[in-house]
Amino acid sequence: MKLERRLTQPWWLSVAVPLGSLVLAFGLMALILVATGHDPIETYREILDAAFTGNGALSATLISATPILFTGLAAAAAFRMQLFNIGAEGQLYLGAVGASWIALQLGDRDATSTPLYVVAMCVAAGVAGALWGLIPGVLKAFARTNEIITSLMLNYVAGLLLTYLIFDSASYWRDTSTLQARAFPQGKPMPEASYWPTFGSDVVVPLGFVIGLGAAVVLWVLYTRMRFGFEVGVIADSPRAARYAGMRTRRKILSVMAVSGAIAGIGGASQIGDFTYTLDGSTTGLQAAAFGYTGIVVAALARYNPLAVCLVAVLIGGLQNAGYTLQGPDFPSGLVGVMQGIILFCALGGELLLRYRLRIRRRSSAHGGSGAAVEPAR
Amino acid sequence: MNDTLLVIVLADAVLYGTPLLFASLGELLAERSGVLNLGVEGMMLFGAVVGFWVTQRVEGASASVLVLAILASGLSGAAMAAIHAFLTITLRANQIVSGLALTIFAGGLGLSAYVGTELGFSPDIPAKQHFGSVDVLGLADLPVLGPIVFDQSALVYASWIAALLVGLYLGRTRFGLNVRAVGEAPASADAMGINVTLYRYVHVLIGGGFAGVAGACYSLSISPGWIAGDTLIGGAGWIAIALVIFAFWRAELCLVGAYLFGALSALPFALQARNVDVAPEFLYALPYVMTIVVLVIVSTGLSKRHLGAPAALGIPYVREER
C-alpha cells in the first residue's frame, strides 16, 4: 500500500470523506457503548429522537446550536490563518458581560425599542469579545507568544472574572436590590424589552441563530470573495511568501483575532438576549457548557468553511441537546464529549484521504510509470 | 518556624508542582521527538480517574495498591496518547487539532467523566488509599527544609528521579541523541538509519504515560477522590505545556518552572487560610495570568531557534516529501 499526494481533488470527495468519517465515528462509538453495556441502536434512536424528530426537539436543538454556531465561526475564522484561537470560551463570557452591561445601561424602555437593544447588545458584546481576543492577538503579533496557550489561559481568567462580578463583588452586574438576592448572589435581571424575539411557532428559531447565519454569510464572503480572505489564505499556507508579497502579517493577526473574538462575543450577547436574560456567574451557568471547545469541534468538522459551520453546528447542537435531555443512567454524562472527540478523530483521519491517494500495488511492475526499472539506462 | 507562610507555600509548591513536573517532562519527551501533544489535560484526567478506580477496587497492602494505581494511570495516559500518535504520525493529521480533539475526547466532559459516571464515582466517595507524606530519615521536623524536602509523598521523590532520568536520557545517551535528531532534522535522522516513526511513537506514548501519572497526583495525592469536569486539575495540563516552552525544552528547567507554578497554585489556599482580604478569584487567576506573563517574557526577543524549540516540532515527517 502506498500513499500518493493528490494534485487535484475530485469534488465528490469533499462530501464523501466527511460523511464516511461520520459513519465510522458512529461505528466506533457503538463499540464503546457495547463495551460499557449499552445498546447502541437504542441509544442512537434516542439521540435522534431527542435531537431532531421528537416533539419540540428541533427547537431545543437550535437553542444548543446557537452558541456553538458563534464559537464555531470564531474558531473557523482564526484557524483558517493557522491562528489557533482556543479562547472563544472566554471571548463569549466577555461578550455576555458587555451585552448585559449595555442592556442594563439602556434601562427599562417600551417594547418598540427591542431592535435598539439587539443592536446595542451585539455591538457591545462584539467590542468586548474582540478586545479580549486582541490580548493573545497583540501578544502573538508583537511578542510571538504562543496564542494557543495565552488564549486558553484567558478562558480561565474570564471564567473567574464572571464569578467575581456576580459572587465576590458589589459590581454593576450583581443584583443587590432584594434581601434574597444579597444572600444568594445573582445577576441583575435584564429589562424586558431587551429580550430577543424568536421566529416560527412549530420550530422556534431564536434571533441569535439567525444573526449567526448572517455572520456566517458575511464571513464566507470575507474569506472567499475578498482580498482579506485571500491574504489570510496566503499567510496560512506560506508566511514567507506572504511577507515577500508585502502582506502585513501583524496587522492580519490583529484583525483576524478581533473578528474571531467579536463573533464569539456576539455569541455571548445571544446567550443573554435569547436565553438567560441575566449574567449568570455561577460555574453551572455559562461556564458549564464549554461552548468554546465545542466550537472547535464544529469548526474542524466543517473544515473551517463558514457555511458548513452552520450545518455542523445544528448537528453537534443536536448531539449536545440530546446529551442534556437524555442524561441519566442510560446516557451517562461525558458521552457527548466522547462522541465529539471520536467524530473529530475520524474527521482528522479522513483528511488523509483528501490529500493523498491510497494506491494498492499488486505487482511491482504493474505501475511502471515511475520507479527505477523504466528509467532509461545511460 | 515551620508554620510560617513562606514554608507552607514552599512545601505546597512542591506538592502542587509535582503533577506539573510529571506532565511537562512527558510533553518534553514528545516535543523533543517532534510531536506536539496538546492533549495533556485530557490524558491527565483519564489517568486520574483510572488511578482512582484502581485504589477503590483493588484490596491489598497500601503500597502495592498505590504502585498498581500509578502503573494503571501511566498506561491509560499512554493509551490516550496512542490515539494522537496514530493520527499525527501515521495519518499525518494536524497535531494541534488532534491534540485539542484528544483533550475534548478524554477530558472533563468526555471519556474521564464517562468512565467516572459509569463506575458510579462522585465527589462524596472518600478515597480508600492515597499517597501520604513519607518522613525521610526522620528529618521532617527539620526547620524550613523539613516540610519542604523531607516530608513529601513518594510521588514527589519519584518525580525527582524522573526529572533526573529524562535529563540524562536526552543529554547523555545515544537514544537521547537520536530523539533530538528526530525532532530537529527527521530527514537526516532517517538517512542515518534512525526509525523516525518508531521514535516518535515511543516518545509520544511515554509522554502520555507521564501525563497519566501526573493526573494520578491529583486524584491520589493532592485532593484524593474524583470530581468529574474541569475542577480537579483545572488547566494544569495546559500550564504543563507552557512550562515546556519556558523551560527552553530542558528537563532541569522543567523542575524549576514546575515549582514556580506549584507555588502560584498553592498561594491562594495558603492566603485564604489566613483570611487575607482579597477576592479569591484574583488569587485563583494568578497561575493563569503568570503563565501568560512568563510566556511573553520568554518569547519576547527570542526567535524560535534561540528558545530551543525542536526545528521539526509540529511537522509530520513524510519520507517521500523531504
Side-chain angles (χ1 to χ4, degrees), chain A residues 200-216:
Chain A
S201 53
D202 264 359
V203 176
V204 182
V205 183
L207 176 64
F209 189 76
V210 180
I211 294 177
L213 294 182

Side-chain angles (χ1 to χ4, degrees), chain B residues 74-145:
Chain B
L75 281 178
S76 45
M80 292 297 109
I83 303 174
H84 182 70
F86 177 67
L87 280 171
T88 57
I89 302 169
T90 303
L91 298 184
R92 305 168 196 176
N94 182 313
Q95 295 182 0
I96 293 174
V97 184
S98 169
L100 290 171
L102 183 56
T103 285
I104 292 167
F105 172 73
L109 297 170
L111 192 62
S112 61
Y114 181 67
V115 170
T117 326
E118 285 285 270
L119 296 173
F121 294 163
S122 73
D124 331 316
I125 296 181
K128 285 186 184 166
Q129 308 273 3
H130 70 97
F131 281 91
S133 53
V134 186
D135 186 352
V136 181
L137 307 171
L139 291 172
D141 294 326
L142 210 68
V144 185
L145 276 184

Side-chain angles (χ1 to χ4, degrees), chain A residues 2-3 5 29 32-33 36-38 79 82 84 86 139 142-146 148-150 152-154 156-157 160-161 163-164 167-168 288-290 293-294 296-297 300 304 329 332-342 344-346 348-350 352 355-356, chain B residues 36 38 41 83-84 87 90-94 96-102 104-105 108-115 117-118 228 230 234-236 238-239 241-242 245 279-282 284-289 291-292 295-296 299-304 318 320-321:
Chain A
K2 197 173 178 303
L3 291 171
R5 194 173 263 280
M29 194 59 222
I32 293 188
L33 285 169
T36 50
H38 297 279
F79 281 36
Q82 304 282 321
F84 295 96
I86 321 291
L139 296 179
F142 294 99
R144 276 172 294 182
T145 310
N146 184 324
I148 301 172
I149 292 168
T150 51
L152 192 108
M153 291 290 125
L154 285 171
Y156 289 98
V157 178
L160 288 167
L161 179 71
T163 313
Y164 173 73
F167 286 89
D168 274 306
Y293 304 106
T294 313
I296 296 166
V297 179
Y304 316 124
S333 72
L335 197 59
V336 170
V338 172
M339 284 192 166
Q340 287 175 355
I342 291 182
L344 198 45
F345 286 143
C346 291
L348 275 173
L352 181 84
R355 282 181 294 137
Y356 294 90
Chain B
L36 176 68
L38 295 181
E41 183 93 357
I83 303 174
H84 182 70
L87 280 171
T90 303
L91 298 184
R92 305 168 196 176
N94 182 313
I96 293 174
V97 184
S98 169
L100 290 171
L102 183 56
I104 292 167
F105 172 73
L109 297 170
L111 192 62
S112 61
Y114 181 67
V115 170
T117 326
E118 285 285 270
D230 203 22
W238 296 99
I239 294 180
I241 295 168
I245 299 176
E281 285 80 14
F282 286 104
Y284 293 139
L286 259 183
Y288 308 121
V289 174
T291 304
I292 298 174
L295 267 189
V296 171
S299 54
T300 310
L302 287 172
S303 71
K304 212 177 174 187
V318 183
E320 295 86 345
E321 290 168 14

Side-chain angles (χ1 to χ4, degrees), chain A residues 176-225:
Chain A
T176 47
S177 57
T178 62
L179 206 62
Q180 199 219 354
R182 258 171 294 184
F184 302 100
Q186 62 187 57
K188 278 183 194 159
M190 298 293 132
E192 231 161 87
S194 76
Y195 293 10
W196 290 12
T198 54
F199 304 99
S201 53
D202 264 359
V203 176
V204 182
V205 183
L207 176 64
F209 189 76
V210 180
I211 294 177
L213 294 182
V217 173
V218 171
L219 207 59
W220 181 78
V221 170
L222 185 67
Y223 273 61
T224 59
R225 293 288 176 271

